[in-house]
Amino acid sequence: MAKQRQPGSTRTKIAAPPPPQRPQLAESGGRFLQLERETEQEFRPQLLQALQDKVDHFQDPALEVAPSCPGCGKAMGHHDSRRVWWLTRFGRIHALARRYRCQPCQQNRRPLLEVLGVEPGRISGSLARLLAVLAVVAPYPLAAQLAGLLLGVKVNAMGVWRATQRLGEAAARYSEQLSQYHADDRSEGAPTQNAPPAVVLSVDACMLGMQVRTHRRRTCGEPLPPLPAVEEGHFRDVKTGVLLLPSERVETSPGRRSVVRRFLVSCLGDADAIFQRVYGQLRELGWVDARTVVVIVGDGAEWIWNRTKLYVNRCEILDFWHALEHAWAFARVRYGEGSKQADRWVRQIGKDLRAGKVLEVIARLERLSPPTLQAQESLQSLIGYYREHAARMRYDEYLRLGYGIGSGAVESAHKQVIHARLRQAGMRWSEAGARRLLALRLLLLNDDWTTLDRLRMVSLAG
C-alpha cells in the first residue's frame, strides 16, 4: 500500500557538495619580489659589461711582455691571437688572447690567461668556488639546479663536477703539503704563547663505499691509466679527528654540554696519516707546546692507542659509552635481551665507573659465576677489556678536569663530514673523488672556505 504524504509535510532534499576549486596563484609573490627581480635583470648586463671592460684593460699588447719558455728559458715568439671565452657569474666574458710559442721546445704560453688565472671555455675561479660550495652540500645534479635558482647561472652537473674536482684537488694537495711541512721538526708553527693547558682529541673511523672498477675508458685517444685497486672489498676507512678545548665545552642544559668551537681533520688513509694531520692542525692553530696536555678520547681500537705515544704529555680516555657497550653484551647473555634486571645491572656498572670505581667493578665481576659457558666467556671478555683499559677509565678525574668522557664529538663529525654528503643512497666513490670532496667539506665545516681564494685551481690537463 502506497505511503500517504501527510498534509503540509515537505520532502527534505540533500544538496550536493560544490565541486572542489583549484588553488589560485597570485600574479606575483608581492610587489617587492617583483622589484628585486627587475633590479637584478636590469643590472646583471651592466655588471657583465663592467667586468668585460676590466678584462679589456689587460688586452693592450703594449702591456704584454713576451714570456720565457719554461723549457729552455729563452724568449718566446708571438705565434697567433685567438678569441676565447670563459663563463662567469654574470655571463660569458670574451678576450683576444695572444699565444707565444717556442719552436725548439714546442711549448705554448698565453700570458693574458695566465695573469687572469682562467682557461678558455671553462668556468671562472669565482664562479667555480660558488659552485663548489653547492656541490659540497648536495649531489652534483642538485647543485646544478641550485646554481640556476640561487646564482642565475645555467650549468650542467658535469660542469659543477669539473669545477669541484679542480678546486678539491688544490685543497687536498695543500692539506697534504701542510701536513708534511709540520711533520718536519724544523718547521715553524703558529705562536704558542697562548697555547691552552689542555686540548681534547677524539679519533674514530667509518666506512665509505668505493668504486671497484679496475680500468677506465676514453671515447678517443689513449686509454687512461688503471684506477688503484680497492683493498678489503668495496669499502674503505675514512678516519676523522676532532680537536676542541675543554674550556669551550659549555653546559646548555643540566647534564648536557655543547662545543662552542671545534676543528675537524679527516682523510682517506691509514692511521699514521690521520695522526700526522691532527698534529699538523694543532701546530697550525698554535694549540700545543711542551706544557699542553693532549687528551685523547677513543674506543678500544689498537690503531688509536698505538699512536698516542706521539704526544709525550698526554691523557688517554676510553670512551665511556664503549665501556658500557661491553657491559651490555654480557648483561644480555646473562639476564636475557630486554631484561629489566640487565638494565638495572648495567646502570649500576655505569654509576660505579663514573665514580672512578673501575677496580671495584673488576673485583665484583671476578666474583660472578655465570651458569652457562657462553655467559662465562662473555664475562671473561668483559673483565679482560676493563683490565686492559683500567688506566684509561678514571672517569671521575676526567669529569672533574672538564675533559669529558665520551666520543660524541667525533661521532657527530662522521655524520657531518662524511655521512651527510658521501654516504647517500647508492653512492660509490673513486679514491680521488672522495679525497677531493673531503678536503672541501673540511674547509667549509671549519669555516675556512676563504683559503680557496689563495689556492690556484688545478688545470684539467695537469
Side-chain angles (χ1 to χ4, degrees):
M1 183 174 180
K3 185 176 181 179
Q4 298 286 331
R5 181 184 298 179
Q6 297 297 326
S9 66
T10 59
R11 177 176 295 178
T12 304
K13 294 184 178 180
I14 302 176
Q21 295 184 358
R22 180 181 295 274
Q24 297 298 313
L25 295 175
E27 293 184 1
S28 66
R31 183 58 180 169
F32 188 74
L33 172 63
Q34 186 176 357
L35 292 174
E36 284 183 294
R37 291 184 174 172
E38 288 177 355
T39 303
E40 181 180 2
Q41 293 173 4
E42 177 183 354
F43 286 96
R44 193 178 187 89
Q46 297 183 28
L47 290 170
L48 178 62
Q49 184 59 50
L51 183 57
Q52 181 68 66
D53 293 341
K54 291 181 180 294
V55 171
D56 292 342
H57 172 73
F58 287 90
Q59 297 185 66
D60 187 354
L63 301 177
E64 192 168 278
V65 179
S68 300
C69 175
C72 63
K74 297 181 180 179
M76 306 175 74
H78 177 257
H79 183 68
D80 60 16
S81 298
R82 293 185 180 180
R83 195 76 173 170
V84 297
W85 65 268
W86 59 91
L87 182 63
T88 73
R89 183 175 177 180
F90 311 117
R92 287 191 179 187
I93 291 292
H94 297 82
L96 187 63
R98 295 164 61 89
R99 182 169 58 160
Y100 293 83
R101 185 175 180 84
C102 177
Q103 292 294 344
C105 300
Q106 297 295 305
Q107 294 281 350
N108 295 309
R109 291 185 64 181
R110 285 188 275 194
L112 174 64
L113 301 185
E114 293 176 5
V115 170
L116 296 176
V118 296
E119 292 186 33
R122 303 300 184 186
I123 293 173
S124 69
S126 178
L127 178 57
R129 283 155 177 78
L130 294 175
L131 295 178
V133 170
L134 300 177
V136 161
V137 298
Y140 298 115
L142 180 56
Q145 296 180 27
L146 292 174
L149 292 173
L150 300 176
L151 306 176
V153 176
K154 292 184 178 181
V155 60
N156 57 27
M158 182 56 67
V160 177
W161 175 85
R162 186 178 289 109
T164 304
Q165 294 299 303
R166 297 177 63 189
L167 285 171
E169 181 63 25
R173 289 183 184 180
Y174 174 75
S175 178
E176 293 165 3
Q177 292 168 0
L178 192 64
S179 177
Q180 295 172 3
Y181 168 77
H182 285 296
D184 192 325
D185 294 336
R186 298 167 297 178
S187 63
E188 294 184 4
T192 59
Q193 61 266 25
N194 296 322
V199 59
V200 177
L201 163 62
S202 296
V203 188
D204 202 0
C206 71
M207 304 302 290
L208 183 65
M210 305 298 293
Q211 296 175 357
V212 294
R213 293 176 295 143
T214 58
H215 65 279
R216 297 176 287 179
R217 293 181 301 173
R218 271 195 183 129
T219 55
C220 60
E222 297 181 359
L224 291 165
L227 290 166
V230 178
E231 302 173 358
E232 300 179 2
H234 301 178
F235 296 89
R236 285 280 301 276
D237 265 351
V238 179
K239 293 181 171 59
T240 303
V242 179
L243 295 170
L244 57 93
L245 301 180
S247 59
E248 295 183 349
R249 295 176 69 247
V250 297
E251 189 170 9
T252 55
S253 60
R256 187 177 184 85
R257 292 182 176 272
S258 180
V259 178
V260 175
R261 180 177 53 158
R262 64 177 183 176
F263 288 90
L264 307 176
V265 182
S266 188
C267 70
L268 188 70
D270 56 17
D272 292 327
I274 186 63
F275 272 88
Q276 185 177 359
R277 295 199 179 195
V278 166
Y279 179 70
Q281 184 65 65
L282 282 172
R283 298 197 71 221
E284 191 72 8
L285 293 170
W287 276 13
V288 60
D289 63 8
R291 298 166 298 174
T292 303
V293 178
V294 180
V295 182
I296 304 167
V297 184
D299 56 22
E302 292 185 3
W303 69 266
I304 297 177
W305 308 118
N306 289 344
R307 289 163 177 83
T308 58
K309 298 179 179 62
L310 175 66
Y311 305 101
V312 177
N313 194 13
R314 67 183 183 274
C315 173
E316 300 178 2
I317 301 178
L318 176 70
D319 175 45
F320 175 77
W321 305 108
H322 278 83
L324 281 193
E325 283 181 7
H326 284 73
W328 268 112
F330 168 68
R332 294 188 184 99
V333 174
R334 184 185 183 190
Y335 300 109
E337 186 75 31
S339 169
K340 291 184 178 179
Q341 190 175 2
D343 182 71
R344 290 194 299 269
W345 186 84
V346 174
R347 284 179 180 272
Q348 186 60 47
I349 290 290
K351 186 182 298 184
D352 291 340
L353 290 179
R354 289 177 69 93
K357 301 178 181 179
V358 60
L359 297 180
E360 290 86 336
V361 169
I362 294 175
R364 192 161 69 244
L365 293 174
E366 290 175 336
R367 292 194 294 269
L368 295 178
S369 299
T372 65
L373 179 61
Q374 182 183 7
Q376 292 174 9
E377 293 176 350
S378 179
L379 175 61
Q380 292 305 313
S381 176
L382 176 61
I383 293 173
Y385 185 79
Y386 282 2
R387 280 178 177 172
E388 179 183 359
H389 298 288
R392 304 184 179 110
M393 299 171 66
R394 301 192 298 270
Y395 297 121
D396 59 331
E397 178 182 347
Y398 309 144
L399 290 171
R400 185 178 69 255
L401 294 171
Y403 294 163
I405 58 176
S407 58
V410 72
E411 298 290 345
S412 174
H414 280 320
K415 296 177 182 178
Q416 295 184 34
V417 178
I418 299 144
H419 294 202
R421 177 62 180 90
L422 282 82
R423 285 187 57 171
Q424 298 185 31
M427 285 187 174
R428 291 293 183 269
W429 298 87
S430 67
E431 183 170 350
R435 181 175 59 89
R436 293 164 182 168
L437 201 59
L438 279 173
L440 291 176
R441 281 191 68 83
L442 288 176
L443 289 179
L444 182 64
L445 295 174
N446 285 333
D447 196 19
D448 196 22
W449 191 258
T450 55
T451 296
L452 281 181
D453 295 343
R454 303 190 298 273
L455 297 178
R456 197 175 188 88
M457 294 177 66
V458 176
S459 175
L460 290 173

